[in-house]
Amino acid sequence: MVLSVKSELCRNHLRIVKLPEMAQGAVRTALAAIVTSLLGLSVFQAHAIDHTQLAVIINTADPLSVQIGEYYVERRKISFQNVIKVDFPPAKAALTRDEFDSIKAIVDERSMKHVQAYALTWAAPYRVECMSITSAFAFGADPALCASGCNGTQVSRYFNSPVTQPFTQLKMRPTMAIAATTFDQAKALIDRGVASDGTMPEGSAYLLSTNDKARNVRSSTYPLVEELIKGRVFGRTMRQNSVKFVDDIMFYFTGLAVVEGLDTLKFLPGAMADHLTSTGGVLVDSSQMSAMRWLEAGVTGSYGTVVEPCNLPSKFPAIPVAVGRYLQGETLIEAYWKSVQMPGQGIFIGEPLAAPFRRAAVR
């Protein structure tokens, strides 16, 4: 079932048009079923993508991409066979489909069959026409992954799936961008991801229910998240727009155009956080808060949309899935990717192999 709430855009402000009660109940039932399935699997340790199955894509025309890529390869012990070098102008935010297809053809040719996922080493370009660049690398440039107006897009078969080898099983490679505008930022992000592996952190989940009605649509799932994390991570719904001066954050989810107080917070290595808004995935020139602000504040993984998605929850992370999969020991790239039912317009950013809840994680 597609998990969605219809919406429409009015003067760049998202306005909710509520579904009939029957449809709302069906959405809640579907999410509850997902949580039940995750609870049933919680005693098992998931098989996760590791450093032998991740290819790193470096843009040799971008000195920062080269620097980030080389450092990541070293820290995660990525084989030279899994390093793919391309060359294209890095300055612009978006690629045309023709430009992207030329790059993707090179990447496809150089990808070994055992490669299950990609890591990009740049913040821009972050978009391919109406798609995010991470979804374009995952699926190929496909108009079915775009939408005109407040409509849904093609659903990902990877959503909340038990798939452990996405390329082998689904012929797609989930992709995450190690997004940064300076090497120091990228280095800190990579180091956090590596440091998080197997730490079994006892942090807290901050589930903020804000007064922004259009962007607060995921708050109805918070009770399910509370049930899912019970005994693993402390967390509760907080009816406020921000938190400040806390130092134990493992998860932070909210719905606002701009999140205040990030400079007062401390995130644990491996932390996941995002804010539902229209253009959080417009990484380097957004009129709203870029998802990169989370990474700069100390988060290890985040998500945002690169074009107007309206407030369809299916285009944003389903928090019970993201948290549940992560707690099972899946990597950041797997847990985040499996949480978005319609990922075509959303970009995944962070350190892909972070696995804080996986015992004996591969470093």
Side-chain angles (χ1 to χ4, degrees):
M1 175 178 184
V2 175
L3 308 177
S4 62
V5 176
K6 279 287 187 182
S7 62
E8 61 183 1
L9 185 64
C10 179
R11 294 186 181 179
N12 202 33
H13 178 73
L14 289 172
R15 183 174 56 169
I16 300 172
V17 179
K18 291 186 178 179
L19 288 175
E21 182 58 34
M22 182 180 295
Q24 293 184 47
V27 169
R28 288 193 293 269
T29 299
L31 283 170
I34 287 172
V35 170
T36 300
S37 69
L38 291 170
L39 286 169
L41 291 172
S42 62
V43 296
F44 300 103
Q45 187 73 189
H47 174 76
I49 290 173
D50 64 30
H51 69 290
T52 68
Q53 300 166 308
L54 181 77
V56 179
I57 303 175
I58 297 172
N59 181 7
T60 57
D62 180 353
L64 180 57
S65 174
V66 173
Q67 198 173 12
I68 293 171
E70 290 177 349
Y71 186 73
Y72 190 60
V73 167
E74 176 188 351
R75 290 292 278 129
R76 281 298 186 186
K77 298 180 173 59
I78 306 293
S79 165
F80 74 93
Q81 294 177 312
N82 286 3
V83 178
I84 301 172
K85 296 181 179 181
V86 292
D87 186 332
F88 61 92
K92 58 184 180 179
L95 297 173
T96 67
R97 183 172 179 177
D98 287 345
E99 288 171 331
F100 175 77
D101 284 346
S102 297
I103 298 166
K104 183 68 160 52
I106 295 170
V107 171
D108 287 344
E109 181 182 357
R110 297 177 183 174
S111 296
M112 306 290 286
K113 289 184 178 179
H114 64 267
V115 168
Q116 303 296 326
Y118 292 134
L120 309 181
T121 55
W122 61 79
Y126 52 78
R127 183 163 60 85
V128 179
E129 295 186 353
C130 58
M131 293 180 62
S132 75
I133 199 163
T134 53
S135 290
F137 270 106
F139 299 111
D142 185 348
L145 293 160
C146 300
S148 176
C150 293
N151 295 305
T153 67
Q154 182 172 294
V155 171
S156 168
R157 291 188 294 156
Y158 197 46
F159 174 70
N160 195 37
S161 75
V163 168
T164 58
Q165 305 286 301
F167 180 70
T168 302
Q169 296 170 263
L170 300 177
K171 298 305 177 187
M172 57 85 68
R173 290 182 170 107
T175 303
M176 181 169 278
I178 304 171
T181 55
T182 71
F183 177 67
D184 286 344
Q185 291 171 359
K187 181 178 182 298
L189 169 62
I190 293 166
D191 290 346
R192 286 196 299 275
V194 175
S196 76
D197 289 353
T199 54
M200 301 295 171
E202 297 181 357
S204 295
Y206 292 82
L207 310 171
L208 270 64
S209 181
T210 72
N211 61 11
D212 187 329
K213 292 182 179 180
R215 296 179 175 88
N216 196 41
V217 291
R218 296 186 298 178
S219 63
S220 62
T221 70
Y222 290 170
L224 299 176
V225 180
E226 291 176 18
E227 178 182 358
L228 191 63
I229 66 178
K230 194 177 300 180
R232 299 287 303 277
V233 175
F234 175 76
R236 60 186 174 84
T237 300
M238 305 174 71
R239 299 188 183 282
Q240 57 196 68
N241 285 350
S242 65
V243 292
K244 296 180 180 180
F245 303 106
V246 295
D247 61 3
D248 65 342
I249 306 175
M250 192 65 216
F251 302 102
Y252 188 142
F253 297 105
T254 186
L256 286 173
V258 177
V259 181
E260 297 181 351
L262 292 185
D263 59 340
T264 72
L265 306 177
K266 182 177 180 180
F267 296 88
L268 301 182
M272 178 187 290
D274 64 61
H275 60 303
L276 189 154
T277 194
S278 297
T279 57
V282 178
L283 296 184
V284 295
D285 51 0
S286 178
S287 60
Q288 300 176 344
M289 184 180 117
S290 165
M292 284 180 59
R293 302 293 86 79
W294 291 107
L295 304 188
E296 292 163 6
V299 171
T300 304
S302 191
Y303 174 92
T305 48
V306 301
V307 295
E308 176 58 59
C310 300
N311 65 338
L312 289 165
S314 295
K315 295 184 179 182
F316 293 89
I319 300 169
V321 179
V323 173
R325 291 282 172 187
Y326 212 30
L327 290 176
Q328 286 176 35
E330 294 190 359
T331 58
L332 180 68
I333 190 171
E334 293 168 291
Y336 241 146
W337 257 93
K338 288 184 180 183
S339 75
V340 185
Q341 199 173 24
M342 297 178 180
Q345 296 168 298
I347 187 167
F348 300 83
I349 62 174
E351 197 283 281
L353 295 179
F357 298 98
R358 181 164 182 79
R359 296 179 181 86
V362 177
R363 290 181 181 269

